[in-house]
Amino acid sequence: MQMNHDAYDDNYIRSILNNVKSIAMVGASPVNVRPSYFAFKYLAQRGYDMIPVNPGHVGKELMGKPFVASLADIGRPIDMIDIFRNSSHIMPVVEEALKLSPPPKVIWMQLGARDDAAAEKAEAAGLKVVMNRCPKIEYGRLSSEISWMGVNSRTLSSKRAPIPTQGMRLSLNRTSFSGGQTAASDRAAKNKTETP
Amino acid sequence: MTDRLPGFSTLAVHAGAQPDPTTGARATPIYQTTSFVFNDADHAASLFGLQAFGNIYTRIGNPTNAVLEERVAALEGGTAALAVASGHAAQLVVLQQLLKPGDEIIAARKLYGGSINQFTHAFKAFGWNVAWADPDEIESFEGAVTPHTKAIFIESIANPAGSITDIEAIAAVARKAGVPLIVDNTLASPYLIKPIDHGADIVVHSLTKFLGGHGNSLGGIIVDAGTFDWSKDNKYPMLSEPRPEYHGIRIQETFGNFAFAIACRVLGLRDLGPALSPFNAFMILTGIETLPLRMQKHCDNAKAVAEFLSTHPAVSAVNYAGLPGDRYNALQRKYAPKGAGAVFTFSLKGGYDAGVNLVSNLKLFSHLANVGDTRSLVIHPASTTHSQLDDAAKVKSGAAPEVVRLSIGIEDKEDLIADLDQALRA
């Protein structure tokens, strides 16, 4: 089925966020006002195994994780590559990702970034692709955590909300307006990598 | 689950609300608290730095208010919303994100009298200028665009005469000028008109009116359509430039398609301070649950009353877009096919004095300065809401001396008609 990259079904996004465990963030910044830093920290606190990739910061750490210079330097299988680069820098990253063995399952291009040719290449190799979205915002929206900020989550639920752990962490187990419900609930809560 | 978008009435009852995690309370609790504890220093720093979603202080956000915000965002089809203390506060907070001293907005001349005052006097003191345009002449909006124009502001159904604005035509002018279109949707409510579907970039409401619906609580709200690119030129630095109050964060870059609502919250509401009481948010949420039922009854009653008045010997004219001969009837059928709203004006053959007499003779209608109540309301704009305008401006804004404004409630229409009839004959 041809993927519509202008409007993703919530179930598509939800299944990616529920199934990936490790995320390499290309273009991660150690500067704590950059969007990549926000997203890295948020996803790490939700239990994802995060790897910061940025050749300019090798030797430093982000939330205790050492920076690596390139995807090839990670040295172990990675589920998802989250690309925090401008649209014009996407293709080389995707080409590098496709050389990994095994290749990642998902290529995610950050809010504002889109390269349809790179997406086509990744999809031809069997990868899932998301463009022009932020995984932090999508996680926050689908769990309704982002509703604390008055954001329209486009989800409904008549079930008692799970008690947030660590103050804010909620479950992805909600019904989207566009349909679909996942039985997988708070993987992050079970898979604690953050210190309680 | 099925692949369908919930209908308007379902969203009006459910959007944004979920049973309380600790108690299971099904109605949205009133979180009547000023502040919220942090888990630890890092959590506190993350919240203050906008890195985490969460509650800090009710002037910035509150869980009861958040349910109201998500509900109205869902009903309007926006990406996010921010509830504030009143409709006036919503306008203040919106324009603070868009205008610097010396900038200007183009506003429709037909507006709520309070908005005309706010724009003309209070905002002028901030160096925010307003250019007035006639919503019945689209060219007057085009002609008013200058390099200083930062936004266009209109009402979907306009005070006081209930005229219908051609939102799509004015949205086209805004797009061409590269500025956002702000639509005050108070008199229509999203049940009748969803301005975002017609090209609005920002929707504001006085929640005090039909959304709350019961005349018991003030409130206002700002809905972000998520449609405007705030960073494409340097016109909106509050959204596109690094913000010193948040260590250099760029709001649009960080928050994407709900950046405007976030800017209104963390730069506007936080620093200007017009927070909505959680108690009022609760009252308004309760009102919104019945919005579709009430709004249809308001419209059906208003149409019956307008039809009655249009044949009454003491009445010279009725301005109600729902009447077949009305000049706005074609626009009403396009933009608000379910009904023309419940606020309209009519003119008395007896002029100013007849208006004053009518108001004093009515027994069921309440004489007060509000609209969108369950109760039917009446006011004589020339001597009240529009009294600060000169005579020419009164006529231009639809508030001539012989004009009476009604806001039709949800009582039995026969009783409303009987009350008007006895008062017109008295």
Side-chain angles (χ1 to χ4, degrees), chain B residues 79-158:
Chain B
T79 54
L82 174 70
V84 293
S86 68
H88 262 35
Q91 291 168 185
L92 170 64
V93 169
V94 163
L95 294 185
Q96 186 222 3
Q97 310 318 310
L98 304 180
L99 273 67
K100 296 189 298 294
D103 287 341
E104 58 193 39
I105 62 164
I106 303 170
R109 186 171 276 119
K110 284 184 181 152
L111 288 189
Y112 164 50
S115 295
I116 294 175
N117 282 335
Q118 188 190 37
F119 291 3
T120 305
H121 303 294
F123 289 170
K124 197 170 181 185
F126 299 165
W128 302 346
N129 300 315
V130 57
W132 299 105
D134 185 343
D136 300 327
E137 290 172 32
I138 303 303
E139 322 78 70
S140 69
F141 282 85
E142 280 177 293
V145 175
T146 76
H148 299 292
T149 304
K150 289 296 171 68
I152 296 180
F153 186 100
I154 59 174
E155 292 180 357
S156 53
I157 297 183

Coordinates of all heavy atoms in Angstrom, one line a residue, chain B residues 79-158:
Chain B
T79 N -5.5 22.4 16.5 CA -4.4 21.6 17.0 C -4.3 21.7 18.6 O -3.9 20.8 19.2 CB -3.1 21.9 16.4 OG1 -2.8 23.3 16.6 CG2 -3.0 21.5 15.0
A80 N -4.7 22.9 19.1 CA -4.6 23.1 20.5 C -5.3 24.3 20.9 O -5.7 25.1 20.0 CB -3.1 23.3 20.9
A81 N -5.5 24.6 22.2 CA -6.3 25.7 22.6 C -5.7 26.2 24.0 O -5.0 25.5 24.6 CB -7.8 25.5 22.8
L82 N -6.0 27.4 24.3 CA -5.7 28.0 25.6 C -6.9 28.8 26.2 O -7.4 29.7 25.5 CB -4.5 29.0 25.5 CG -4.1 29.7 26.7 CD1 -3.5 28.8 27.8 CD2 -3.2 30.9 26.5
A83 N -7.3 28.4 27.3 CA -8.4 29.0 28.0 C -7.9 30.2 28.8 O -6.8 30.1 29.5 CB -9.2 28.0 28.9
V84 N -8.6 31.3 28.8 CA -8.2 32.5 29.6 C -9.5 33.0 30.3 O -10.5 32.5 30.2 CB -7.6 33.5 28.6 CG1 -6.2 33.1 28.1 CG2 -8.5 33.9 27.5
A85 N -9.3 34.2 30.9 CA -10.3 34.7 31.9 C -11.6 35.2 31.2 O -12.6 35.2 31.7 CB -9.7 35.7 32.8
S86 N -11.4 35.7 29.9 CA -12.6 36.3 29.2 C -12.3 36.3 27.7 O -11.1 36.1 27.3 CB -12.8 37.7 29.7 OG -11.8 38.5 29.4
G87 N -13.3 36.6 26.9 CA -13.0 36.8 25.5 C -12.1 38.0 25.2 O -11.3 37.9 24.3
H88 N -12.2 39.0 26.0 CA -11.3 40.2 25.9 C -9.9 39.8 26.2 O -8.9 40.2 25.5 CB -11.7 41.3 26.8 CG -12.5 42.4 26.2 ND1 -13.4 42.1 25.2 CD2 -12.5 43.7 26.3 CE1 -13.9 43.2 24.8 NE2 -13.4 44.2 25.4
A89 N -9.7 38.9 27.2 CA -8.3 38.4 27.5 C -7.8 37.6 26.4 O -6.6 37.7 26.0 CB -8.4 37.6 28.8
A90 N -8.6 36.8 25.7 CA -8.2 36.0 24.6 C -7.6 36.9 23.5 O -6.6 36.7 22.9 CB -9.3 35.2 24.1
Q91 N -8.4 38.0 23.2 CA -7.9 38.9 22.1 C -6.6 39.6 22.5 O -5.7 39.8 21.7 CB -9.0 40.0 21.9 CG -10.2 39.3 21.2 CD -11.5 40.2 21.1 OE1 -12.5 39.6 20.7 NE2 -11.4 41.4 21.6
L92 N -6.5 40.0 23.8 CA -5.2 40.6 24.3 C -4.0 39.7 24.1 O -3.0 40.0 23.6 CB -5.4 41.0 25.7 CG -4.1 41.4 26.5 CD1 -3.5 42.7 25.8 CD2 -4.4 41.6 28.0
V93 N -4.2 38.4 24.5 CA -3.1 37.4 24.5 C -2.8 37.1 23.1 O -1.6 37.0 22.7 CB -3.5 36.2 25.3 CG1 -2.5 35.1 25.1 CG2 -3.6 36.5 26.8
V94 N -3.7 37.0 22.2 CA -3.5 36.7 20.8 C -2.6 37.8 20.2 O -1.6 37.5 19.5 CB -4.8 36.5 20.0 CG1 -4.5 36.6 18.5 CG2 -5.4 35.1 20.3
L95 N -3.1 39.0 20.3 CA -2.4 40.1 19.6 C -1.0 40.4 20.2 O -0.1 40.9 19.5 CB -3.3 41.4 19.6 CG -4.6 41.2 18.8 CD1 -5.3 42.5 18.7 CD2 -4.3 40.7 17.4
Q96 N -0.8 40.1 21.5 CA 0.5 40.3 22.1 C 1.5 39.4 21.4 O 2.7 39.8 21.3 CB 0.4 39.9 23.6 CG 1.8 40.3 24.3 CD 2.2 39.2 25.3 OE1 1.5 38.2 25.5 NE2 3.3 39.5 26.0
Q97 N 1.1 38.2 20.9 CA 2.1 37.4 20.2 C 2.4 37.9 18.8 O 3.4 37.5 18.2 CB 1.5 35.9 20.1 CG 1.0 35.3 21.3 CD 1.8 35.6 22.5 OE1 3.0 35.4 22.5 NE2 1.2 36.1 23.6
L98 N 1.5 38.7 18.3 CA 1.6 39.1 16.9 C 2.1 40.5 16.6 O 2.8 40.8 15.6 CB 0.3 38.9 16.2 CG -0.4 37.6 16.3 CD1 -1.8 37.6 15.6 CD2 0.5 36.5 15.7
L99 N 1.8 41.4 17.5 CA 2.1 42.8 17.3 C 3.2 43.4 18.2 O 3.2 43.1 19.4 CB 0.8 43.6 17.5 CG -0.2 43.8 16.3 CD1 -0.8 42.4 16.0 CD2 -1.3 44.7 16.6
K100 N 4.0 44.3 17.5 CA 4.9 45.2 18.3 C 4.3 46.6 18.1 O 3.5 46.9 17.3 CB 6.3 45.1 17.7 CG 6.9 43.7 17.8 CD 8.4 43.8 17.4 CE 8.6 44.2 15.9 NZ 8.1 43.3 14.9
P101 N 4.8 47.5 19.0 CA 4.4 48.9 18.8 C 4.6 49.4 17.4 O 5.7 49.1 16.8 CB 5.2 49.7 19.8 CG 5.5 48.7 20.9 CD 5.7 47.4 20.1
G102 N 3.6 50.0 16.8 CA 3.7 50.5 15.4 C 3.1 49.5 14.4 O 2.9 49.9 13.2
D103 N 2.8 48.3 14.8 CA 2.2 47.3 13.9 C 0.7 47.6 13.9 O 0.1 48.3 14.7 CB 2.4 45.9 14.4 CG 3.9 45.4 14.1 OD1 4.5 46.1 13.3 OD2 4.3 44.5 14.8
E104 N 0.0 46.9 13.0 CA -1.5 47.1 12.9 C -2.2 45.9 12.5 O -1.7 44.9 12.0 CB -1.8 48.3 12.0 CG -1.4 48.1 10.6 CD -1.5 49.4 9.7 OE1 -1.2 50.5 10.3 OE2 -1.9 49.3 8.6
I105 N -3.5 45.8 12.9 CA -4.4 44.8 12.5 C -5.5 45.5 11.6 O -5.8 46.7 11.8 CB -5.0 44.0 13.6 CG1 -5.9 44.9 14.5 CG2 -4.0 43.3 14.4 CD1 -6.8 44.1 15.4
I106 N -6.0 44.7 10.7 CA -7.2 45.1 10.0 C -8.4 44.4 10.7 O -8.4 43.2 10.8 CB -7.2 44.7 8.5 CG1 -5.9 45.3 7.9 CG2 -8.4 45.1 7.8 CD1 -5.7 44.7 6.5
A107 N -9.4 45.2 11.1 CA -10.6 44.6 11.8 C -11.8 44.9 11.1 O -12.0 46.0 10.6 CB -10.6 45.1 13.3
A108 N -12.8 44.0 11.1 CA -14.1 44.2 10.5 C -14.8 45.3 11.4 O -14.7 45.3 12.6 CB -14.9 43.0 10.5
R109 N -15.4 46.2 10.7 CA -16.1 47.3 11.4 C -17.3 46.8 12.2 O -17.6 47.3 13.3 CB -16.6 48.3 10.4 CG -17.2 49.6 11.0 CD -17.4 50.6 9.9 NE -16.2 51.4 9.6 CZ -15.6 51.4 8.4 NH1 -16.1 50.7 7.4 NH2 -14.5 52.2 8.2
K110 N -17.9 45.7 11.8 CA -19.0 45.1 12.5 C -18.4 44.1 13.5 O -18.1 43.0 13.2 CB -19.9 44.4 11.6 CG -20.8 45.3 10.8 CD -21.8 44.6 10.0 CE -22.7 45.6 9.2 NZ -23.2 45.0 7.9
L111 N -18.3 44.6 14.8 CA -17.7 43.8 15.9 C -18.6 44.1 17.1 O -19.2 45.1 17.2 CB -16.3 44.2 16.2 CG -15.1 43.8 15.3 CD1 -13.8 44.2 15.9 CD2 -15.2 42.4 14.8
Y112 N -18.4 43.2 18.1 CA -18.9 43.5 19.4 C -18.4 44.9 19.9 O -17.2 45.2 19.7 CB -18.4 42.3 20.3 CG -18.5 42.6 21.8 CD1 -19.7 43.0 22.4 CD2 -17.4 42.3 22.6 CE1 -19.7 43.2 23.8 CE2 -17.4 42.5 24.0 CZ -18.6 43.0 24.6 OH -18.6 43.2 25.9
G113 N -19.3 45.7 20.4 CA -18.9 47.0 20.8 C -17.7 47.0 21.8 O -16.9 47.9 21.7
G114 N -17.6 46.0 22.7 CA -16.5 46.0 23.6 C -15.2 45.7 22.9 O -14.2 46.2 23.3
S115 N -15.2 45.0 21.8 CA -14.0 44.8 21.0 C -13.6 46.1 20.3 O -12.4 46.4 20.2 CB -14.2 43.7 20.0 OG -14.5 42.4 20.6
I116 N -14.6 46.8 19.8 CA -14.3 48.1 19.1 C -13.6 49.0 20.1 O -12.6 49.6 19.8 CB -15.6 48.7 18.6 CG1 -16.1 47.8 17.4 CG2 -15.3 50.1 18.1 CD1 -17.5 48.3 16.9
N117 N -14.1 49.1 21.4 CA -13.5 49.9 22.4 C -12.1 49.4 22.7 O -11.1 50.2 22.8 CB -14.3 49.8 23.7 CG -15.5 50.7 23.6 OD1 -15.5 51.7 22.9 ND2 -16.5 50.4 24.4
Q118 N -11.9 48.1 22.9 CA -10.6 47.5 23.2 C -9.6 47.8 22.2 O -8.5 48.3 22.5 CB -10.7 46.0 23.4 CG -9.5 45.3 23.9 CD -9.6 43.8 23.9 OE1 -10.1 43.2 22.9 NE2 -9.0 43.1 24.9
F119 N -10.0 47.7 20.9 CA -9.0 47.9 19.8 C -8.7 49.4 19.7 O -7.6 49.8 19.4 CB -9.6 47.4 18.5 CG -9.7 45.9 18.4 CD1 -9.4 45.1 19.4 CD2 -10.1 45.3 17.2 CE1 -9.4 43.7 19.3 CE2 -10.2 43.9 17.1 CZ -9.9 43.1 18.1
T120 N -9.8 50.2 19.8 CA -9.6 51.6 19.5 C -8.8 52.4 20.6 O -8.0 53.2 20.3 CB -11.0 52.3 19.4 OG1 -11.8 51.6 18.4 CG2 -10.9 53.8 19.0
H121 N -9.1 52.0 21.9 CA -8.5 52.8 23.0 C -7.4 52.0 23.7 O -6.3 52.5 23.8 CB -9.6 53.2 24.0 CG -10.7 54.0 23.3 ND1 -10.5 55.2 22.7 CD2 -12.0 53.7 23.0 CE1 -11.6 55.7 22.2 NE2 -12.5 54.7 22.3
A122 N -7.7 50.8 24.3 CA -6.7 50.1 25.1 C -5.5 49.7 24.3 O -4.4 50.0 24.7 CB -7.4 48.9 25.8
F123 N -5.8 49.2 23.1 CA -4.7 48.7 22.3 C -3.9 49.8 21.7 O -2.7 49.7 21.4 CB -5.1 47.7 21.2 CG -5.6 46.4 21.8 CD1 -6.3 45.4 20.9 CD2 -5.4 46.0 23.1 CE1 -6.7 44.2 21.4 CE2 -5.8 44.8 23.6 CZ -6.5 43.9 22.8
K124 N -4.5 50.9 21.4 CA -3.8 52.1 20.9 C -2.7 52.5 21.9 O -1.7 53.0 21.4 CB -4.8 53.2 20.6 CG -4.3 54.3 19.7 CD -5.4 55.2 19.3 CE -4.8 56.3 18.3 NZ -5.8 57.3 18.0
A125 N -3.0 52.4 23.1 CA -2.0 52.8 24.2 C -0.8 51.9 24.1 O 0.3 52.3 24.6 CB -2.7 52.8 25.6
F126 N -0.9 50.7 23.6 CA 0.2 49.8 23.4 C 1.0 50.1 22.1 O 1.9 49.4 21.8 CB -0.2 48.3 23.4 CG -0.9 47.8 24.6 CD1 -1.6 46.6 24.5 CD2 -0.9 48.5 25.8 CE1 -2.2 46.1 25.6 CE2 -1.5 48.0 26.9 CZ -2.2 46.8 26.8
G127 N 0.5 51.0 21.3 CA 1.0 51.3 20.0 C 0.6 50.3 18.9 O 1.2 50.1 17.9
W128 N -0.5 49.5 19.2 CA -1.1 48.6 18.2 C -2.2 49.4 17.5 O -3.2 49.8 18.1 CB -1.7 47.4 18.9 CG -0.8 46.6 19.7 CD1 0.6 46.7 19.8 CD2 -1.1 45.6 20.7 NE1 1.1 45.8 20.7 CE2 0.1 45.1 21.2 CE3 -2.3 45.0 21.1 CZ2 0.1 44.1 22.2 CZ3 -2.3 44.0 22.1 CH2 -1.1 43.5 22.6
N129 N -2.1 49.5 16.2 CA -3.1 50.3 15.5 C -4.1 49.4 14.8 O -3.8 48.3 14.5 CB -2.4 51.2 14.4 CG -1.4 52.1 15.1 OD1 -1.7 52.8 16.1 ND2 -0.2 52.2 14.6
V130 N -5.3 49.9 14.6 CA -6.3 49.2 13.9 C -6.8 49.9 12.7 O -7.0 51.2 12.7 CB -7.5 48.8 14.9 CG1 -8.1 50.1 15.5 CG2 -8.5 48.0 14.2
A131 N -6.9 49.2 11.6 CA -7.5 49.8 10.4 C -8.8 49.1 10.2 O -8.9 47.9 10.2 CB -6.6 49.5 9.1
W132 N -9.9 49.9 10.1 CA -11.3 49.3 10.0 C -11.6 49.0 8.6 O -11.3 49.7 7.7 CB -12.3 50.2 10.6 CG -12.1 50.5 12.1 CD1 -11.5 51.6 12.7 CD2 -12.3 49.6 13.2 NE1 -11.4 51.5 14.0 CE2 -11.9 50.2 14.4 CE3 -12.8 48.3 13.3 CZ2 -12.0 49.6 15.6 CZ3 -12.9 47.7 14.5 CH2 -12.4 48.3 15.7
A133 N -12.3 47.8 8.4 CA -12.7 47.5 7.0 C -14.2 47.0 7.1 O -14.6 46.6 8.2 CB -11.8 46.4 6.4
D134 N -14.8 47.0 6.0 CA -16.3 46.7 5.9 C -16.4 45.2 5.5 O -16.0 44.9 4.4 CB -17.0 47.6 5.0 CG -18.5 47.4 5.0 OD1 -18.9 46.3 5.5 OD2 -19.2 48.3 4.5
P135 N -16.9 44.3 6.4 CA -17.0 42.9 6.0 C -17.9 42.7 4.8 O -17.9 41.6 4.2 CB -17.6 42.3 7.3 CG -18.1 43.4 8.1 CD -17.4 44.6 7.7
D136 N -18.8 43.7 4.4 CA -19.6 43.5 3.3 C -18.9 43.9 2.0 O -19.4 43.8 0.9 CB -20.9 44.3 3.4 CG -21.7 43.8 4.7 OD1 -21.6 42.6 5.0 OD2 -22.3 44.7 5.3
E137 N -17.7 44.5 2.1 CA -16.9 44.9 1.0 C -15.5 44.4 1.1 O -14.7 45.0 1.8 CB -16.9 46.4 0.8 CG -18.2 47.1 0.5 CD -18.2 48.6 0.5 OE1 -17.1 49.2 0.3 OE2 -19.2 49.2 0.9
I138 N -15.3 43.2 0.5 CA -14.0 42.5 0.7 C -12.8 43.4 0.2 O -11.8 43.3 0.8 CB -14.0 41.2 -0.1 CG1 -15.2 40.3 0.3 CG2 -12.7 40.4 0.0 CD1 -15.3 40.0 1.8
E139 N -13.1 44.2 -0.8 CA -12.0 45.1 -1.3 C -11.5 46.0 -0.2 O -10.3 46.4 -0.2 CB -12.5 46.0 -2.5 CG -13.4 45.3 -3.5 CD -14.9 45.2 -2.9 OE1 -15.5 46.3 -2.9 OE2 -15.3 44.1 -2.6
S140 N -12.4 46.3 0.8 CA -11.9 47.3 1.8 C -10.8 46.6 2.7 O -10.0 47.3 3.3 CB -13.1 47.8 2.6 OG -13.6 46.7 3.4
F141 N -10.8 45.3 2.8 CA -9.8 44.6 3.5 C -8.5 44.6 2.7 O -7.4 44.9 3.2 CB -10.2 43.1 3.8 CG -11.1 43.0 4.9 CD1 -12.5 43.2 4.8 CD2 -10.7 42.7 6.2 CE1 -13.4 43.1 5.8 CE2 -11.5 42.6 7.3 CZ -12.9 42.8 7.1
E142 N -8.6 44.3 1.4 CA -7.4 44.4 0.5 C -6.8 45.7 0.5 O -5.6 45.9 0.6 CB -7.8 44.0 -0.9 CG -8.0 42.5 -1.2 CD -8.5 42.2 -2.6 OE1 -9.6 42.6 -2.9 OE2 -7.7 41.7 -3.3
G143 N -7.6 46.8 0.5 CA -7.1 48.1 0.4 C -6.4 48.6 1.7 O -5.7 49.5 1.7
A144 N -6.8 47.9 2.8 CA -6.2 48.3 4.1 C -4.9 47.7 4.4 O -4.2 48.0 5.4 CB -7.2 48.0 5.2
V145 N -4.4 46.7 3.6 CA -3.2 46.0 3.9 C -2.0 46.9 3.7 O -1.9 47.7 2.7 CB -3.0 44.8 2.9 CG1 -1.6 44.1 3.1 CG2 -4.1 43.8 3.2
T146 N -1.1 47.0 4.7 CA 0.2 47.8 4.6 C 1.3 46.9 5.0 O 1.1 45.8 5.5 CB 0.1 49.0 5.5 OG1 0.3 48.6 6.9 CG2 -1.2 49.8 5.4
P147 N 2.6 47.4 4.9 CA 3.7 46.6 5.4 C 3.6 46.3 6.9 O 4.3 45.4 7.4 CB 4.9 47.4 5.0 CG 4.5 48.3 3.9 CD 3.0 48.6 4.1
H148 N 2.9 47.1 7.6 CA 2.8 47.0 9.1 C 1.7 46.0 9.5 O 1.5 45.7 10.7 CB 2.5 48.3 9.7 CG 3.7 49.3 9.5 ND1 4.9 49.1 10.0 CD2 3.7 50.4 8.7 CE1 5.7 50.1 9.6 NE2 5.0 50.9 8.8
T149 N 0.8 45.5 8.5 CA -0.3 44.7 8.9 C 0.2 43.3 9.4 O 1.0 42.7 8.7 CB -1.2 44.4 7.6 OG1 -1.6 45.7 7.1 CG2 -2.4 43.6 8.0
K150 N -0.3 42.9 10.5 CA 0.1 41.6 11.1 C -1.0 40.6 11.3 O -0.7 39.4 11.6 CB 0.8 41.9 12.5 CG 2.1 42.6 12.4 CD 3.2 41.8 11.7 CE 4.5 42.5 11.4 NZ 5.2 42.8 12.6
A151 N -2.2 41.0 11.1 CA -3.3 40.1 11.3 C -4.6 40.7 10.8 O -4.7 42.0 10.7 CB -3.5 39.7 12.7
I152 N -5.6 39.9 10.4 CA -6.9 40.3 10.1 C -7.9 39.7 11.1 O -7.8 38.5 11.5 CB -7.3 40.0 8.7 CG1 -6.4 40.7 7.7 CG2 -8.8 40.3 8.4 CD1 -6.7 40.4 6.2
F153 N -8.8 40.5 11.6 CA -9.7 40.1 12.7 C -11.2 40.3 12.3 O -11.6 41.4 11.9 CB -9.4 40.9 14.0 CG -10.2 40.4 15.2 CD1 -9.6 39.6 16.1 CD2 -11.5 40.8 15.4 CE1 -10.3 39.2 17.2 CE2 -12.2 40.4 16.5 CZ -11.6 39.6 17.4
I154 N -12.0 39.2 12.3 CA -13.4 39.3 12.0 C -14.2 38.5 12.9 O -13.7 37.7 13.7 CB -13.7 38.8 10.5 CG1 -13.2 37.3 10.4 CG2 -13.0 39.7 9.5 CD1 -13.6 36.7 9.1
E155 N -15.5 38.7 12.9 CA -16.5 37.8 13.6 C -17.2 37.0 12.6 O -17.5 37.5 11.5 CB -17.5 38.7 14.4 CG -16.9 39.4 15.6 CD -17.8 40.2 16.4 OE1 -19.0 40.3 16.1 OE2 -17.4 40.8 17.4
S156 N -17.4 35.7 12.9 CA -18.1 34.8 11.9 C -19.5 35.2 11.7 O -20.0 35.5 10.6 CB -18.0 33.4 12.4 OG -18.5 33.2 13.7
I157 N -20.3 35.3 12.8 CA -21.6 35.9 12.9 C -21.3 37.2 13.7 O -20.8 37.2 14.8 CB -22.7 35.1 13.5 CG1 -22.9 33.8 12.7 CG2 -24.0 35.8 13.7 CD1 -24.0 32.9 13.3
A158 N -21.6 38.4 13.1 CA -21.2 39.6 13.7 C -22.2 40.3 14.5 O -23.4 40.3 14.2 CB -20.7 40.6 12.6

